[in-house]
Amino acid sequence: MNKEIIRSSSQKGLLFGIVMIFLVLINFHLMASTMISKLMGTNVLRGSLPEARFFIIFLVLYAIWVGWSAASREGKTIHKLFEGLFAGLIAGLTVALFGLLLFYMLETQTDIRKYLTALSFPSMRFFLLDMGELGILVHFGLFTLLGLLGSALAVGLRSQKVAHFKQGVKTAITNLRLRITNALPESVNKYGKYGIYLLLLVILFLLPTRWGSYYNFVFGMVGLYVILGIGLNIMLGLSGQFMIGIAALFAMGAYSVALLNSPIPHGLMWGFWPSLAVGVVMAVIGGLLLGLPIMRLRGDYLGIVTLGFGEIIRILLNSDLLTDITGGPRGVQNIQQPTFLGTPFNDVMYAYLIIVAMAVSIFLYYRLENSRTGRAWLSIKEDALVAQATGIDVQKYKLLALCVGAAFAGLAGGIFAARNQFTGPNDHTLMVSINVLSVVIVGGLNSIPGIILGSFALRGLPELLRELETYRLLVFGALLVFMMLVRPDGLWPASRPDLEEKGSPGLKEDIEPAEEGRSND
Amino acid sequence: MLKVTDLNVYYGAIHALKGISFDLQEGEIVTLIGANGAGKSTLLNTISGILHAKVGQVEYLGEDISNEAAQVIVQKGIVHVPEGRKIFAKMTVLENLEMGAYTVSDRQQIQDKMGAMFERFPVLRDRKKQLGGTLSGGEQQMLAMARGLMANPKLLLLDEPSMGLAPVLVEQIFDIIQDINQLGTSVLLVEQNAHMALSIADRAYVLETGNIVLEGDAADVMNDPMVISAYLGG
């Protein structure tokens, strides 16, 4: 064993040990144990501690990770195993020393919660696995043994054989697919696509009636964000305008439907459909009014101004000044429902309405993207000067993009208000704009599947993670960070099937749409 | 064909062009040479309507176009190929050419034009489905010129087509400029590479800090002692 191996693995072990102590100091060990407990079906009552065995599960995973990451990628197997073992040993030693300290404090009843709120006696006892001094030994033993196990796993799973196996499975799947497609008659291959669409349609038709109102609500939210995302993508992805105030345009749609179709404050009862149309038109006007003064701005400055616009609209809606017109902070209540054959819309009907709106939006988006207008937008995004030199009226098309995008936002807003039967200033905060922006960026710019996936991931998942209560945002944040590391271009980046990848090996980098949103600078 | 009189252009408080007057006859190659910051690109941007003059006018085929928008000027037949190989990097070569013909509505004409471009620039045909940004420097410059020609220009404004290219490519580009000119397109060529520009141009103007300091037939300008010492390195 050379010194280098000992040095690096002891450093790793020390690092992991210190991180573990830090996690305990912020009470993360309790949080994580509670989460594991809930995931495994044992509920933890508020204010009480989970069982110690769930903490052991957390420790096991953590210690295996220590060994895994300590084992280097190259070198002899025996060295790797030693690295895991040694890192585990050091980490275990560090944690055990910390445990000893805690044990001492428990024995002497030293209360340091004044300084470190997380270190209450129950929490300390929990860290020692409710076993007192024995817990220290368990910690030490766990880390050492599992460090070794982790490195063994790393040796096994990173080996050539496993890589071959993975490759083999991949080719087998591709071969199978090819054989199936070849075996099928040509007509099936040709029309199979439509068959899948039909199946999707049937599923979309059946699901809302089957899965209950809660899932309809979540699904509706996802659908509305898809529409909003498409609207924003027209501004940001196609024409390259960094817009953060889309909540304002969303509000225009929502408030139009709310004010024109509710008993208070104006007593106007226009019905849902006319007010929805007005909502879309109002949003377009909003986009136009916003667009005119900001035509000369680009990049980050545009973002800041549009952000300001979004806030101005929200603050106006919230102000006492306009209470008589917009209902002020209390918002607008009792928005009337649209009716279908005389019966008011229920959650299933709303789900259908959103599906139809989504389908129409997607269809319009594809038509626009592949039109002359879409080309003009893309060229402006790439280089406004050259676009101008090729004879494109840059100002006109930029305004058009804002207006068309606003129409989608208005549509989503109108449906949103009617479905909730209520809308108020708090529905149109900056967070809405940022969420829509995240949906588009996380999903993948200029990619409809990406936007749909992004909406599910960002709007659907947090709802479904509600089981985890307080920790859902923690889990969600971790997922986001992980995703951006693994897929920086979005979950489902836009693809260019007609592309011929020839030329330099560095070509891939050139194609990757890095910093797409700012290519306008 | 093009007549510029007393053109004054400002960037805010900066006086970039200080009363420029020059003209270009149909069928000519006229070159504007000058150092960095002399105002060459500003002049082209003003002619093509991307910038607008505070004082003075641009007359094209007897019509005042000083206040027209860029897209109107393109339709009138003045096409600007901006400097620095400005192509649409994330569009394919084919799409770049289609963008060049944005003002042309006749599909058949676009197809014919595209064929002609592939004749003239065979390398673009080989690369037609590649993204513009993946082309080499010379190919990008050719693409930029081909894109300009797609709009059927009567007058082509070329801004430093030789910028950053190897000498052999520069010669190729200048041959193509001469070809284009012989087929009836007038060319206004802005260059720092004075030697190459003067060797293909009919007439030349020398621009210095917003003023024209010298004008005449290209051959005379090439022999001017001031030009030799300042631009030709003699």
Side-chain angles (χ1 to χ4, degrees):
Chain A
M1 305 293 157
N2 60 36
K3 273 185 178 162
E4 181 55 31
I5 290 177
I6 294 180
R7 200 182 58 84
S8 72
S9 51
S10 59
Q11 268 179 2
K12 272 258 163 66
L14 195 63
L15 180 74
F16 273 95
I18 291 172
V19 168
M20 184 71 215
I21 294 172
F22 176 72
L23 290 180
V24 173
L25 292 183
I26 61 168
N27 234 352
F28 184 84
H29 66 309
L30 274 180
M31 259 193 246
S33 309
T34 313
M35 238 153 65
I36 293 168
S37 162
K38 285 190 176 177
L39 282 176
M40 295 184 65
T42 315
N43 199 21
V44 179
L45 293 176
R46 199 171 279 275
S48 70
L49 296 178
E51 290 172 52
R53 62 191 168 108
F54 296 113
F55 182 42
I56 293 183
I57 294 177
F58 174 74
L59 279 178
V60 166
L61 293 175
Y62 188 81
I64 289 179
W65 186 25
V66 175
W68 174 281
S69 72
S72 49
R73 290 192 170 265
E74 269 122 45
K76 286 189 203 149
T77 307
I78 184 77
H79 284 186
K80 291 181 193 168
L81 290 180
F82 176 76
E83 278 169 337
L85 180 68
F86 199 68
L89 192 82
I90 297 288
L93 212 58
T94 318
V95 174
L97 279 176
F98 179 67
L100 203 61
L101 183 71
L102 291 193
F103 180 67
Y104 172 76
M105 288 189 330
L106 275 173
E107 289 291 290
T108 55
Q109 293 288 308
T110 325
D111 194 350
I112 56 158
R113 259 185 296 175
K114 219 193 269 177
Y115 313 105
L116 288 165
T117 36
L119 282 189
S120 62
F121 289 129
S123 159
M124 286 191 214
R125 243 174 257 127
F126 181 75
F127 178 76
L128 294 175
L129 305 163
D130 296 334
M131 298 181 199
E133 62 265 62
L134 203 59
I136 305 170
L137 278 178
V138 172
H139 270 294
F140 180 70
L142 269 180
F143 270 98
T144 315
L145 284 178
L146 293 168
L148 182 64
L149 179 64
S151 59
L153 277 177
V155 169
L157 292 179
R158 281 183 196 147
S159 71
Q160 286 287 319
K161 272 186 197 154
V162 175
H164 277 307
F165 180 70
K166 270 191 204 158
Q167 196 57 43
V169 170
K170 242 183 202 169
T171 37
I173 290 174
T174 340
N175 283 343
L176 191 68
R177 246 184 73 187
L178 271 177
R179 274 174 66 183
I180 291 176
T181 26
N182 288 339
L184 291 172
E186 199 180 328
S187 59
V188 175
N189 280 328
K190 210 170 165 188
Y191 300 108
K193 207 170 69 174
Y194 301 103
I196 290 171
Y197 288 154
L198 199 72
L199 193 71
L200 198 70
L201 206 71
V202 172
I203 291 173
L204 280 178
F205 183 77
L206 287 180
L207 265 187
T209 58
R210 289 276 176 273
W211 64 6
S213 63
Y214 175 66
Y215 284 98
N216 273 335
F217 173 78
V218 175
F219 174 78
M221 212 55 219
V222 171
L224 290 177
Y225 267 84
V226 170
I227 301 173
L228 277 168
I230 290 174
L232 183 68
N233 192 63
I234 289 175
M235 305 173 190
L236 179 69
L238 290 184
S239 76
Q241 301 182 81
F242 194 30
M243 164 83 172
I244 316 187
I246 200 162
L249 305 168
F250 182 66
M252 303 252 175
Y255 266 85
S256 299
V257 167
L259 295 172
L260 294 176
N261 199 24
S262 67
I264 299 168
H266 300 301
L268 294 170
M269 297 292 211
W270 284 23
F272 173 71
W273 301 106
S275 39
L276 183 66
V278 172
V280 171
V281 172
M282 283 304 291
V284 170
I285 293 172
L288 192 70
L289 289 180
L290 167 67
L292 283 174
I294 63 171
M295 272 299 102
R296 293 165 64 94
L297 297 176
R298 278 184 298 194
D300 306 349
Y301 302 100
L302 183 65
I304 292 164
V305 172
T306 51
L307 188 149
F309 172 73
E311 283 298 276
I312 288 170
I313 297 291
R314 185 185 65 83
I315 290 167
L316 275 180
L317 292 174
N318 209 359
S319 70
D320 290 336
L321 191 73
L322 295 178
T323 302
D324 294 341
I325 306 172
T326 63
R330 293 186 53 207
V332 186
Q333 277 137 27
N334 293 324
I335 299 167
Q336 299 301 299
Q337 301 297 296
T339 54
F340 179 70
L341 301 176
T343 50
F345 267 38
N346 55 10
D347 58 302
V348 177
M349 288 308 293
Y350 271 118
Y352 287 153
L353 175 64
I354 289 169
I355 289 171
V356 170
M358 214 157 67
V360 170
S361 304
I362 292 172
F363 174 74
L364 287 178
Y365 175 83
Y366 276 127
R367 297 293 298 177
L368 273 170
E369 190 192 18
N370 296 318
S371 69
R372 260 172 79 80
T373 312
R375 274 294 165 71
W377 281 336
L378 279 173
S379 71
I380 291 170
K381 178 186 170 189
E382 280 217 21
D383 195 318
L385 185 93
V386 184
Q388 212 173 0
T390 52
I392 291 163
D393 190 339
V394 172
Q395 306 243 317
K396 187 181 97 181
Y397 278 109
K398 275 171 118 178
L399 262 185
L400 189 68
L402 281 181
C403 291
V404 174
F408 287 107
L411 176 72
I415 297 174
F416 174 79
R419 193 180 68 135
N420 285 2
Q421 303 180 36
F422 164 82
T423 197
N426 288 340
D427 288 341
H428 311 287
T429 55
L430 179 61
M431 270 323 281
V432 175
S433 302
I434 291 178
N435 280 334
V436 179
L437 190 68
S438 316
V439 161
V440 176
I441 302 288
V442 167
L445 215 56
N446 286 351
S447 154
I448 292 289
I451 291 172
I452 294 173
L453 214 58
S455 297
F456 268 106
L458 293 175
R459 300 312 300 162
L461 216 53
E463 290 295 332
L464 302 181
L465 285 178
R466 248 177 222 288
E467 291 284 308
L468 300 174
E469 285 169 42
T470 340
Y471 314 120
R472 79 190 167 107
L473 290 179
L474 185 87
V475 173
F476 181 58
L479 280 177
L480 265 191
V481 170
F482 180 71
M483 203 221 79
M484 283 328 259
L485 284 175
V486 179
R487 299 197 69 93
D489 292 331
L491 289 170
W492 191 321
S495 65
R496 295 286 305 268
D498 57 335
L499 223 56
E500 218 169 81
E501 291 195 10
K502 252 201 287 187
S504 60
L507 187 88
K508 239 344 203 162
E509 262 89 282
D510 288 334
I511 300 173
E512 237 58 299
E515 289 214 338
E516 190 96 37
R518 298 164 173 221
S519 55
N520 210 352
D521 287 346
Chain B
M1 183 179 206
L2 185 76
K3 194 167 182 317
V4 171
T5 27
D6 189 31
L7 209 59
N8 283 274
V9 178
Y10 293 78
Y11 291 108
I14 299 164
H15 199 171
L17 294 182
K18 301 164 183 165
I20 302 268
S21 300
F22 76 95
D23 67 300
L24 180 147
Q25 304 298 322
E26 188 133 21
E28 268 188 322
I29 299 181
V30 169
T31 181
L32 285 156
I33 55 180
N36 286 332
K40 301 174 306 229
S41 298
T42 308
L43 181 58
L44 286 198
N45 284 341
T46 313
I47 296 171
S48 65
I50 292 167
L51 293 173
H52 290 281
K54 204 165 191 176
V55 181
Q57 71 168 358
V58 181
E59 208 176 280
Y60 169 69
L61 298 174
E63 185 187 358
D64 182 9
I65 58 163
S66 341
N67 295 316
E68 294 285 9
Q71 66 272 14
V72 178
I73 291 177
V74 174
Q75 262 161 352
K76 288 183 191 296
I78 301 183
V79 173
H80 182 182
V81 180
E83 77 180 315
R85 303 172 213 140
K86 293 255 187 170
I87 49 151
F88 298 120
K90 280 169 199 153
M91 291 189 188
T92 62
V93 168
L94 217 57
E95 287 166 337
N96 264 282
L97 293 178
E98 281 169 2
M99 284 313 299
Y102 199 79
T103 49
V104 182
S105 46
D106 182 356
R107 279 197 169 276
Q108 189 55 46
Q109 198 190 336
I110 295 176
Q111 281 306 316
D112 295 348
K113 230 21 213 176
M114 192 95 73
M117 285 310 127
F118 287 149
E119 289 285 301
R120 190 184 296 284
F121 305 99
V123 63
L124 295 185
R125 190 202 300 270
D126 300 339
R127 305 228 184 270
K128 65 182 173 188
K129 285 196 172 166
Q130 262 181 257
L131 292 182
T134 66
L135 302 186
S136 74
E139 289 163 354
Q140 290 192 6
Q141 184 58 52
M142 290 184 195
L143 177 57
M145 283 172 59
R147 188 190 58 211
L149 290 171
M150 286 297 290
N152 248 337
K154 294 190 193 111
L155 171 59
L156 194 62
L157 310 179
L158 291 174
D159 199 347
E160 299 216 22
S162 75
M163 192 195 227
L165 295 184
V168 63
L169 281 170
V170 174
E171 265 180 53
Q172 213 179 331
I173 296 272
F174 275 77
D175 284 347
I176 291 167
I177 297 173
Q178 273 180 307
D179 272 1
I180 294 167
N181 179 247
Q182 261 144 32
L183 289 174
T185 308
S186 315
V187 177
L188 179 56
L189 174 65
V190 156
E191 259 302 337
Q192 281 201 60
N193 187 340
H195 183 76
M196 284 304 291
L198 289 172
S199 66
I200 66 161
D202 299 306
R203 286 186 306 118
Y205 293 84
V206 180
L207 210 58
E208 242 170 48
T209 57
N211 293 300
I212 286 180
V213 291
L214 186 70
E215 59 178 280
D217 287 343
D220 297 342
V221 172
M222 210 188 290
N223 292 322
D224 188 278
M226 186 207 81
V227 172
I228 290 173
S229 71
Y231 300 104
L232 300 176

